[in-house]
Amino acid sequence: DAGITQSPRHKVTETGTPVTLRCHQTENHRYMYWYRQDPGHGLRLIHYSYGVKDTDKGEVSDGYSVSRSKTEDFLLTLESATSSQTSVYFCASRTGNSGQPQHFGDGTRLSIL
Amino acid sequence: AQSVTQLDSQVPVFEEAPVELRCNYSSSVSVYLFWYVQYPNQGLQLLLKYLSGSTLVKGINGFEAEFNKSQTSFHLRKPSVHISDTAEYFCAVSSNSGGSNYKLTFGKGTLLTVNP
């Protein structure tokens, strides 16, 4: 499968602290995505990127920001974490070719106390 | 805007029985359709996809799905399940236009539990 690495894999932090999650892909994929997965909600899109320095909001973007300074890296930042942001976060990437699927990383389990 | 409804949140079945996981979608534009599987503590893995052409799509691990445009459905089937098929299954839809940036809209998932 596509080489997508998420770090850290697990993190516990306190309310009000900043948190940055990293997604690294080795496939030279144009598009990258951040999702959160919560019980009963499936996966919901937070932010996505359609090229270096080109990003846009998804369905649940409040409280999150992203940056993409290189093709291979897509960072998700929680500026001031809240307990409602406790979740499992998944990164995905895909090529720019029509019909290709998104490929997913193994996720980051984030707990905010 | 698009939406996906997975009609069953949980489906328990016995080993070697057939199974169908139901998915309906809503979209004002032409779509691509996907089924993903998630094993415990792992990411999502693509099972199969429908882009165009034949409405019956075959995927990995013996799964198949049928696209029905008139009923806006994309149900997933397997004729005989194994214990190892126990996982959560997600149906997803995206516009087939690059202008949408190929964003996926997911259903809420169906937990398939295969019992001995």
Side-chain angles (χ1 to χ4, degrees), chain A residues 31-53:
Chain A
Y31 294 91
M32 297 185 75
Y33 309 84
W34 276 108
Y35 296 89
R36 60 178 290 173
Q37 182 179 26
D38 304 289
H41 289 277
L43 279 80
R44 293 179 291 175
L45 183 64
I46 305 172
H47 281 280
Y48 65 97
S49 170
Y50 48 95
V52 173
K53 297 186 179 180

Side-chain angles (χ1 to χ4, degrees), chain B residues 40-61:
Chain B
N41 299 313
Q42 293 186 24
L44 277 69
Q45 178 183 356
L46 180 70
L47 270 180
L48 49 79
K49 62 183 180 182
Y50 172 79
L51 305 181
S52 64
S54 173
T55 58
L56 184 63
V57 178
K58 294 190 182 297
I60 63 171
N61 300 340

Side-chain angles (χ1 to χ4, degrees), chain A residues 9 31 33 35 37 40-43 45 48 50 90 94-106 109, chain B residues 32 34 36 38 41-46 49 51 88 90 96 98 100-109:
Chain A
R9 292 294 315 280
Y31 294 91
Y33 309 84
Y35 296 89
Q37 182 179 26
H41 289 277
L43 279 80
L45 183 64
Y48 65 97
Y50 48 95
F90 287 98
R94 59 158 287 158
T95 73
N97 298 327
S98 179
Q100 294 303 307
Q102 292 183 19
H103 299 273
F104 284 80
D106 286 335
R109 187 172 296 274
Chain B
Y32 295 144
F34 304 86
Y36 284 86
Q38 184 181 33
N41 299 313
Q42 293 186 24
L44 277 69
Q45 178 183 356
L46 180 70
K49 62 183 180 182
L51 305 181
E88 191 153 25
F90 291 95
N96 64 6
S100 73
N101 293 302
Y102 304 113
K103 293 176 290 183
L104 284 175
T105 299
F106 284 88
K108 294 182 178 181

Side-chain angles (χ1 to χ4, degrees), chain B residues 23-111:
Chain B
C23 172
N24 286 99
Y25 70 93
S26 172
S27 177
S28 58
V29 298
S30 295
V31 297
Y32 295 144
L33 292 157
F34 304 86
W35 275 99
Y36 284 86
V37 60
Q38 184 181 33
Y39 300 104
N41 299 313
Q42 293 186 24
L44 277 69
Q45 178 183 356
L46 180 70
L47 270 180
L48 49 79
K49 62 183 180 182
Y50 172 79
L51 305 181
S52 64
S54 173
T55 58
L56 184 63
V57 178
K58 294 190 182 297
I60 63 171
N61 300 340
F63 284 93
E64 63 181 30
E66 186 159 17
F67 171 61
N68 187 318
K69 187 174 183 179
S70 63
Q71 297 187 6
T72 60
S73 68
F74 190 53
H75 300 332
L76 181 70
R77 303 185 182 102
K78 187 170 182 178
S80 176
V81 294
H82 303 290
I83 298 286
S84 59
D85 292 322
T86 294
E88 191 153 25
Y89 292 79
F90 291 95
C91 181
V93 63
S94 77
S95 165
N96 64 6
S97 163
S100 73
N101 293 302
Y102 304 113
K103 293 176 290 183
L104 284 175
T105 299
F106 284 88
K108 294 182 178 181
T110 297
L111 179 62

Side-chain angles (χ1 to χ4, degrees), chain A:
Chain A
D1 207 344
I4 300 175
T5 305
Q6 292 186 232
S7 59
R9 292 294 315 280
H10 303 272
K11 187 173 182 67
V12 180
T13 190
E14 295 182 347
T15 300
T17 60
V19 177
T20 296
L21 308 182
R22 180 181 184 236
C23 179
H24 179 78
Q25 53 105 351
T26 59
E27 303 295 321
N28 200 34
H29 284 170
R30 175 184 174 187
Y31 294 91
M32 297 185 75
Y33 309 84
W34 276 108
Y35 296 89
R36 60 178 290 173
Q37 182 179 26
D38 304 289
H41 289 277
L43 279 80
R44 293 179 291 175
L45 183 64
I46 305 172
H47 281 280
Y48 65 97
S49 170
Y50 48 95
V52 173
K53 297 186 179 180
D54 292 322
T55 65
D56 206 348
K57 297 178 179 180
E59 178 188 359
V60 290
S61 60
D62 286 350
Y64 302 95
S65 63
V66 290
S67 65
R68 192 170 179 200
S69 59
K70 298 185 290 185
T71 297
E72 58 266 35
D73 289 325
F74 192 32
L75 304 180
L76 177 70
T77 297
L78 292 65
E79 300 289 349
S80 178
T82 68
S83 58
S84 64
Q85 294 175 310
T86 292
S87 186
V88 181
Y89 292 85
F90 287 98
C91 174
S93 71
R94 59 158 287 158
T95 73
N97 298 327
S98 179
Q100 294 303 307
Q102 292 183 19
H103 299 273
F104 284 80
D106 286 335
T108 294
R109 187 172 296 274
L110 177 64
S111 297
I112 301 165
L113 307 178

